[in-house]
Amino acid sequence: MKTLYVLAAAFGCLLTVNTASAQMDSVAAHKAWMAYMTPGPEHQQLAKTEGDWTTDMTFWKGPGAKPEKATGSCSNKMILGGRYQESRFTSDMMGMPFEGLGTTAYDNARKMYLNTWIDNMGTGMMMMEGKWEPAVNGIVYRGKSYDPAMQKTMDLRQVIKFQDANNYTLEMYRMANGKEFKEMEIAFKRK
């Protein structure tokens, strides 16, 4: 009988410890999710480019190619409670209407910026990850995109530099014959 009481008491203690542990895990999980979902300084940095912009674009079809020019417009908008930025871009490129849609996030858990891009000159999606680089006063992304002419995935690097409240630039680099070259540069000026 005494053994039964000891076993019951031990089981009760174990149940109490497991319940308390589960409650503590629940509190820790809740705190982690709250930190993950709360916009911070990096989101405020993205919000500085909210609004409408004119764009002057220069692009090169390959290393040493003659630069081509295009003008357009971009509208940046913070969405989902300031957690993400949506960018809508329109222009004329190579004699055709061009439109694109980008999303930018700062992932609080991974401590990095994430960027996606789709446009009407393809059916794929470009995805990049980046970090804030004080040396350029901006974000340096690295990622991949599919090149249908080469029929393979290519490495990309994108650099966004913030000059002031009314001007920023985007530079896009890709690999050709084992060397990186500047493929595009866009200057954004606030309307």
Side-chain angles (χ1 to χ4, degrees), residues 67-92:
E68 297 184 38
K69 302 275 190 181
T71 59
S73 64
C74 179
S75 179
N76 295 331
K77 177 178 158 184
M78 296 303 290
I79 60 172
L80 300 176
R83 290 172 179 85
Y84 305 91
Q85 184 178 76
E86 176 186 271
S87 299
R88 293 188 174 269
F89 188 90
T90 58
S91 180
D92 283 314

Side-chain angles (χ1 to χ4, degrees), residues 163-174:
Q163 286 77 38
D164 56 46
N166 297 310
N167 297 278
Y168 71 98
T169 58
L170 178 151
E171 298 171 356
M172 180 68 77
Y173 299 86
R174 72 176 171 110

Side-chain angles (χ1 to χ4, degrees), residues 26-100:
S26 176
V27 169
H30 178 73
K31 280 185 175 182
W33 275 104
M34 291 304 290
Y36 184 59
M37 68 181 270
T38 302
E42 295 82 6
H43 301 90
Q44 292 168 5
Q45 176 65 41
L46 290 174
K48 289 179 182 179
T49 62
E50 190 167 29
D52 296 323
W53 303 79
T54 59
T55 62
D56 287 312
M57 180 172 34
T58 305
F59 57 98
W60 297 265
K61 291 183 179 174
K66 181 180 172 185
E68 297 184 38
K69 302 275 190 181
T71 59
S73 64
C74 179
S75 179
N76 295 331
K77 177 178 158 184
M78 296 303 290
I79 60 172
L80 300 176
R83 290 172 179 85
Y84 305 91
Q85 184 178 76
E86 176 186 271
S87 299
R88 293 188 174 269
F89 188 90
T90 58
S91 180
D92 283 314
M93 189 182 301
M94 297 178 286
M96 297 181 286
F98 177 80
E99 62 180 315

Side-chain angles (χ1 to χ4, degrees), residues 117-129:
W117 179 260
I118 55 175
D119 60 49
N120 66 325
M121 290 195 172
T123 55
M125 178 180 283
M126 181 179 71
M127 294 178 274
M128 305 187 93
E129 298 180 344

